[in-house]
Amino acid sequence: MAWTIDHIIFFSFLILNVILGLKSSKGITSITQYAIGDRNFSTAVLVSTLVATWISGSFFANILIETYKTGLYYFIPVLFEVVCFFIVGYFFIPRMSEFLGKLSIAEAMNDIYGQKVRIVTSISGFIFVSGLIAVQLKIAGSVFEYILNINSLYGIILSGLIITLYSTLGGIKSVTFTDVIQFFTFATILPVIVYYFFFGVDGITIVFSLAKNPNFNFSDIFIFSNDKIWKLISLSIYMVIPAFNPAIFQRIAMSKTLKQAQDSFYILSFIVFVLILLVGWLSVLLMFRENFTGSANIIHSLFDITPPIYKGLLLIGIVAMVMSTIDSYINSSSVLITHDFINVFTKLKNELLTARVVSFLLGMSGILLSLKDIGIFRLAVLTASFYMCIVTVPFIMAVLGYRTPYEKAVLAGMAGGFLVNTLWMLLDITIIDGVIPAMLVNWLVLVIMHKYYYSKEKINIVN
């Protein structure tokens, strides 16, 4: 392999992140410091780690690939993520003061509903995070495959080991420090790449051409005789529902105040909106690029037509998105498993050491899952929907003030959501994703079982 300027840029960035990540990991002596630090992060750092956690390699790849293939059928739903963040900041966070300083969402669920719900939440979080890590490693593997000309299998293993190394040792301090670097990296590089591909292109011609494309023409899309409109609607609803996944909850919990958390989500919604527009516009520009083949691997095709130096920047931009997401989820989920699962069954003498071992195992499970032959978009939705149909519903209800005292009612709702989501997948129903029906069933069963246990309790009191 002949080394180029792009190789130097790529590996210099990789080495820098590992060194700085390990260097910033000193001074961690407890599970609390490992999970949420000292809660003295500035708003700028909190925003950086929020954006870096959310803007993943799959964020870039999915918008680029799905917009290229399906146009507005994917691009419109993904814009609802912006609405979701604004809703969290405006509506939910002011009601979440009791969760500041909590180590995990499972710990919060334990305080609200009980220990069994805590255990189910920790298991669900583990499955969700393993799938999300696997998605990122698939993209990282593709990058390593391209730049090193090796099998993507080795790229997945190599990138997984590198990211797991500093995530395992560093804790939240290491994660937030590297997140700031990674956020600055991709937020700076993405506009540069988009500008390069836009330079010399007639924007007006593109707009008129898109109007003739059925995937971008509103009159072709928004008609109810169009089967794909239901997929668009269900995906939009899915995107607008706050999942409160382990890492995002962790960012709220580590805030100094509710005002800081609220401001961070407002800024997050604006930055994500801009980045969605940039990646979507890049996808459109590629449609009109003469030398862009649009082959099965669109990411590799993009690398092929990007000139030296720009290519190196693009490579580290994508890897920065991957690394900033994986390290955040490894950290939050290791706490989830250690503090809310293992420690429930056996009181640990050294939670911090156990959390680091779990972090390493999480990275390894992500590597194994990423080897499965399943598309990144499908895998992302699959694992996220599993978590949302079990955990998100009772947590949102609790934040909104509907808190049943009956743990069995919550567990029954969780079971109902899980069964519907599983059945949806087994029957291979594709007109809409199963997460919305599963969440509705979770809510309905929880309400019905709450009323049942309440009535039963009332009768016993009377008797």
Side-chain angles (χ1 to χ4, degrees), residues 331-377:
N331 175 262
S332 61
S333 193
S334 67
V335 174
L336 201 67
I337 297 300
T338 304
H339 186 63
D340 301 296
F341 185 78
I342 300 174
N343 201 45
V344 168
F345 293 101
T346 174
K347 291 299 178 183
L348 296 168
K349 294 181 179 179
N350 192 333
E351 272 194 276
L352 179 58
L353 176 61
T354 307
R356 284 174 166 156
V357 173
V358 170
S359 291
F360 179 78
L361 295 176
L362 269 168
M364 296 306 100
S365 67
I367 291 173
L368 292 174
L369 190 55
S370 66
L371 302 179
K372 297 290 184 182
D373 187 20
I374 181 172
I376 57 172
F377 177 62

Side-chain angles (χ1 to χ4, degrees), residues 52-326:
T53 298
W54 193 262
I55 304 300
S56 60
S58 57
F59 170 93
F60 176 82
N62 284 335
I63 296 176
L64 188 76
I65 295 168
E66 297 299 325
T67 303
Y68 186 88
K69 291 180 177 179
T70 66
L72 296 179
Y73 286 104
Y74 181 79
F75 188 74
I76 289 174
V78 83
L79 284 173
F80 278 87
E81 288 186 341
V82 178
V83 180
C84 173
F85 294 135
F86 186 83
I87 290 173
V88 170
Y90 182 78
F91 193 72
F92 284 97
I93 287 179
R95 296 168 169 81
M96 295 177 68
S97 59
E98 67 186 285
F99 303 125
L100 294 183
K102 296 294 181 185
L103 299 192
S104 69
I105 189 169
E107 183 181 46
M109 292 287 271
N110 177 78
D111 294 345
I112 301 167
Y113 297 120
Q115 192 175 89
K116 291 178 182 177
V117 172
R118 178 184 196 172
I119 293 169
V120 173
T121 301
S122 64
I123 294 171
S124 302
F126 170 78
I127 294 171
F128 165 71
V129 169
S130 295
L132 189 140
I133 292 171
V135 170
Q136 307 312 311
L137 289 178
K138 278 179 175 287
I139 297 165
S142 183
V143 172
F144 275 81
E145 177 185 31
Y146 182 86
I147 197 165
L148 294 177
N149 195 27
I150 59 175
N151 189 294
S152 61
L153 166 66
Y154 302 114
I156 287 170
I157 295 172
L158 180 59
S159 57
L161 288 173
I162 290 171
I163 300 168
T164 301
L165 173 64
Y166 76 82
S167 300
T168 296
L169 297 175
I172 196 64
K173 286 175 62 179
S174 177
V175 168
T176 51
F177 185 74
T178 53
D179 276 356
V180 172
I181 299 170
Q182 290 151 1
F183 163 64
F184 178 79
T185 301
F186 64 71
T188 304
I189 288 172
L190 190 55
V192 172
I193 298 298
V194 173
Y195 176 77
Y196 166 77
F197 282 103
F198 181 69
F199 187 75
V201 173
D202 186 353
I204 296 177
T205 302
I206 290 178
V207 172
F208 278 111
S209 298
L210 287 177
K212 299 175 183 177
N213 187 326
N215 285 339
F216 288 89
N217 191 313
F218 284 94
S219 60
D220 290 328
I221 294 172
F222 291 100
I223 52 174
F224 289 105
S225 59
N226 178 7
D227 291 340
K228 291 191 289 185
I229 188 66
W230 301 109
K231 188 78 171 178
L232 184 152
I233 292 171
S234 68
L235 192 56
S236 298
I237 296 172
Y238 166 79
M239 292 291 188
V240 83
I241 298 173
F244 290 107
N245 67 55
I248 296 301
F249 176 87
Q250 185 188 45
R251 267 63 189 160
I252 297 172
M254 61 194 262
S255 304
K256 293 177 186 176
T257 62
L258 290 180
K259 180 67 166 58
Q260 186 189 44
Q262 194 172 34
D263 290 344
S264 298
F265 270 82
Y266 289 152
I267 299 169
L268 170 67
S269 63
F270 173 75
I271 294 174
V272 170
F273 176 68
V274 173
L275 293 175
I276 288 172
L277 292 181
L278 284 171
V279 181
W281 184 236
L282 176 61
S283 183
V284 169
L285 292 173
L286 293 177
M287 296 178 192
F288 296 90
R289 196 78 180 185
E290 291 182 2
N291 58 340
F292 186 73
T293 60
S295 63
N297 195 327
I298 290 178
I299 301 294
H300 279 197
S301 298
L302 174 60
F303 292 152
D304 288 337
I305 65 170
T306 306
I309 298 180
Y310 282 99
K311 184 186 295 183
L313 294 175
L314 178 61
L315 287 165
I316 66 171
I318 294 175
V319 168
M321 295 179 195
V322 169
M323 294 176 73
S324 62
T325 299
I326 292 179

